[in-house]
Amino acid sequence: MRSPFVARIGLALVAALSLTIAGHGGNAAVAAPEESYRIQVGSHALSTAYDPASRTLYVGADGAISMFKDGVLTGKIPVGEVSMAADPVTHAVYAVDSSNNTVLVIKGTTVTTTIPMPDQPQALAIDPGTGKVYVATSMAGVTVIQGDKVTKTIVLKDEGYVWSIAVDTSTHKVYAGNYSKSTLSVIVDDVEVQTVGAAGGWSIAVDSVTHDVYVPGEFDKKVLVINGGAVVRTINVPFPRDVVVDSVTHTAYVTSPGLHTVSVIHGSTVTDTIPVHDPGRPVVDQTGHTLYVPSSDGSVSVIRDPSNRDFTSDGRTDVVARDGSGALWLYPGNGSGGWLDPERAGQGWGAMTPILASGDFNSDGRADVLARDTGGVLWLYPGNGANGWLPRVQVGQGWQGMTAITGPGDFNGDGFPDLLARDTAGVLWLYPGDGSGGWLPKVHVGQGWQAMTAILGAGDLNGDGHPDVLARDAAGLLWVYPSDGSTGWLPRVQSGQGWNVMDALVTPGDFNGDGRADLLARDAAGNLWLYPGNGHNGWLSRVQVGQGWNIMTAVA
């Protein structure tokens, strides 16, 4: 049985298989976050909390809190709860027991303290910088806990049913949602300083980098984004209830239980919806960029983005390039179609062909690189999240017979990333990933591919939720081969002509931050061009994003 805690990833093909990068290539497939696997808990899972330091997931289900580490049950506490949160500094977990008007303090697998509340508690949020826990306490307002004691109750000006709470951990501002008054209270230094008109319902979430506050209005069918005390964006989401934000990737996730979906929001746009049966209150691991969504069917859906190409842990897509001396360079993207200062990321890479920017292959939340040596051995270079690599691991051999390799993402729809490889006869093979760095038996998925001078895993180019493949033929025509979500293809679509003037093609993922898969191309003069994807198998007007790239013998 496959390991349940290995998430799907996207793999990538470098721009070429030769030192001139004039031939076959590809790179990481951009893809929306998607379910990697499920953890079975009981018959009805309600809420979650996560401690990134101990990698422990807490799940409230069936009147108990279950603890999982790497998908394995490590303990269970028989207590009822509504919502909970983990303090990443003290590793204590605070859980609301609404039926008994208490908040429980849990350390390890033991309830160490039971704290009475002035009114029925509904939700809580932790500020690890101050050590304070803020509890939305119905008609009483907001109750403040430090350690294991109540230190204050903040009475709000608008009396009403306070149901939701969130903390901006960088500014220490607190936001309390008043369900009955449809207002959001802004609290500074434990004093209410402002109210904003917003449907403060089931939950609130804050991006502690951008300071955007996400407030779902379930019956308004909108999510309001508040910044600086004013509504700055309105996002249409059907029946939104709970929301969480990854402050590193700036991705918001919103549940719609009645529709059995989780909406993925980037900026002002819902970029994807993920099916989850009757989702409860989720939590996001901002280190591994993993979303945990409880369900009334008794499971927790583990959702990850398989297209991780962020080598610097700043939430932006990056590019790796090798120069003529064999040095490997990291070009950090700025998230809007440009670059930050490049950094040297290694040396001695001249013998590797190809180099593949592989996404998060080992499921640790960091982008990795795959490289094939001259002996046909395939190596995994795990990224350390800070421009460098952990010790490499062999993940294959005998790959010297392949004339093209690309990572299309989860091509066969089984929840694990795959590889596509072309042999010398032009046969295209699918190597299904087994989720732990290896492969299941290969599957024949095409023939006649020797006519293609470039093959690239391109992500979802047509918006149907399945990863697609780009291929350039000898006449310079660019073709989209849409995946059918299994192991086959829909009819191909022409996506351009005249592409034989480009000596390198690279699909970097969403390079300009608009939620669509893009294409980078280098011309003979060494100019690098960005072709933004339009989401419909084509491209918007190209933009020059570099020059002098002809000194690079590989780009991924």
Side-chain angles (χ1 to χ4, degrees):
M1 180 176 179
R2 294 170 177 168
S3 173
F5 52 87
V6 178
R8 53 172 86 168
I9 53 127
L11 298 179
L13 175 67
V14 95
L17 295 176
S18 68
L19 293 180
T20 61
I21 333 180
H24 318 286
N27 74 329
V30 65
E34 54 190 7
E35 183 180 279
S36 298
Y37 61 96
R38 293 184 185 182
I39 301 172
Q40 195 63 39
V41 182
S43 62
H44 193 99
L46 290 171
S47 61
T48 52
Y50 188 79
D51 182 354
S54 64
R55 302 200 314 278
T56 301
L57 173 69
Y58 299 82
V59 183
D62 301 337
I65 297 176
S66 298
M67 286 145 278
F68 295 86
K69 184 172 182 178
D70 295 334
V72 178
L73 180 67
T74 60
K76 181 179 288 190
I77 303 174
V79 295
E81 55 78 44
V82 173
S83 69
M84 54 187 165
D87 188 327
V89 176
T90 66
H91 310 299
V93 175
Y94 292 81
V96 167
D97 187 346
S98 184
S99 60
N100 293 307
N101 290 346
T102 58
V103 169
L104 309 177
V105 184
I106 300 169
K107 294 185 178 179
T109 58
T110 303
V111 176
T112 59
T113 308
T114 300
I115 306 173
M117 292 287 104
D119 198 2
Q120 191 177 40
Q122 295 298 320
L124 54 80
I126 296 175
D127 186 347
T130 64
K132 294 181 179 180
V133 180
Y134 295 90
V135 186
T137 328
S138 301
M139 298 297 292
V142 177
T143 301
V144 185
I145 298 172
Q146 283 193 280
D148 57 4
K149 296 179 181 178
V150 172
T151 59
K152 187 174 185 179
T153 295
I154 305 168
V155 179
L156 304 183
K157 296 175 183 177
D158 287 336
E159 292 185 357
Y161 204 74
V162 182
W163 205 337
S164 52
I165 197 87
V167 177
D168 187 330
T169 57
S170 60
T171 66
H172 308 295
K173 287 184 178 180
V174 179
Y175 299 89
N178 191 320
Y179 183 78
S180 54
K181 299 292 185 178
S182 294
T183 58
L184 182 72
S185 295
V186 184
I187 299 170
V188 178
D189 295 329
D190 295 346
V191 176
E192 183 184 27
V193 298
Q194 183 184 7
T195 59
V196 182
W202 294 82
S203 69
I204 308 166
V206 184
D207 186 325
S208 293
V209 175
T210 66
H211 313 300
D212 284 339
V213 184
Y214 292 80
V215 184
E218 185 170 14
F219 301 109
D220 295 337
K221 302 179 184 178
K222 298 180 186 300
V223 174
L224 300 183
V225 182
I226 296 169
N227 199 310
V231 176
V232 295
R233 298 195 302 278
T234 300
I235 306 167
N236 294 324
V237 179
F239 303 106
R241 180 173 292 184
D242 287 304
V243 57
V244 292
V245 179
D246 187 331
S247 294
V248 177
T249 64
H250 313 298
T251 306
Y253 302 92
V254 182
T255 67
S256 297
L259 300 178
H260 306 294
T261 59
V262 176
S263 296
V264 183
I265 296 175
H266 293 95
S268 300
T269 305
V270 175
T271 57
D272 194 50
T273 55
I274 305 167
V276 177
H277 177 77
D278 192 20
R281 184 163 292 172
V283 69
V284 63
D285 168 21
Q286 301 193 48
T287 301
H289 312 301
T290 303
L291 181 71
Y292 298 95
V293 186
S295 168
S296 64
D297 67 6
S299 67
V300 176
S301 293
V302 182
I303 295 170
R304 303 190 64 182
D305 187 343
S307 62
N308 186 2
R309 290 178 51 88
D310 176 17
F311 293 97
T312 61
S313 300
D314 65 355
R316 304 181 178 104
T317 295
D318 305 317
V319 169
V320 175
R322 179 187 63 197
D323 65 23
S325 69
L328 197 66
W329 293 88
L330 174 67
Y331 285 81
N334 66 6
S336 57
W339 310 97
L340 304 177
D341 292 336
E343 300 182 32
R344 186 165 177 164
Q347 58 186 10
W349 288 75
M352 297 297 181
T353 174
I355 301 169
L356 298 87
S358 58
D360 180 18
F361 189 72
N362 61 0
S363 304
D364 65 354
R366 305 181 180 100
D368 308 320
V369 160
L370 285 171
R372 181 184 62 182
D373 65 24
T374 54
V377 176
L378 196 62
W379 297 93
L380 170 68
Y381 290 80
N384 64 8
N387 313 338
W389 320 105
L390 302 176
R392 72 179 185 176
V393 180
Q394 183 176 334
V395 293
Q397 59 185 359
W399 288 78
Q400 68 271 26
M402 297 300 175
T403 60
I405 310 170
T406 191
D410 177 21
F411 189 78
N412 63 358
D414 68 350
F416 297 94
D418 309 317
L419 280 182
L420 289 171
R422 182 186 62 191
D423 64 24
T424 54
V427 176
L428 195 64
W429 298 93
L430 171 68
Y431 287 80
D434 66 1
S436 58
W439 319 105
L440 301 177
K442 67 181 182 179
V443 179
H444 180 284
V445 292
Q447 57 188 10
W449 285 77
Q450 69 270 27
M452 298 299 174
T453 62
I455 304 172
L456 305 92
D460 182 13
L461 292 175
N462 59 6
D464 67 355
H466 303 309
D468 306 318
V469 169
L470 274 177
R472 181 185 61 189
D473 64 24
L477 300 179
L478 197 62
W479 298 92
V480 176
Y481 285 81
S483 164
D484 65 3
S486 181
T487 57
W489 312 95
L490 301 178
R492 70 176 186 175
V493 179
Q494 186 177 331
S495 186
Q497 58 186 357
W499 287 84
N500 45 3
V501 302
M502 300 295 179
D503 62 10
L505 299 176
V506 181
T507 46
D510 177 18
F511 189 69
N512 63 358
D514 66 355
R516 303 184 182 100
D518 304 320
L519 177 66
L520 290 173
R522 185 187 64 185
D523 63 27
N527 297 314
L528 194 64
W529 298 91
L530 170 66
Y531 289 81
N534 65 8
H536 303 286
N537 296 325
W539 318 102
L540 304 177
S541 299
R542 71 176 188 176
V543 180
Q544 186 172 343
V545 293
Q547 57 186 0
W549 282 75
N550 44 359
I551 67 171
M552 297 297 176
T553 60
V555 184

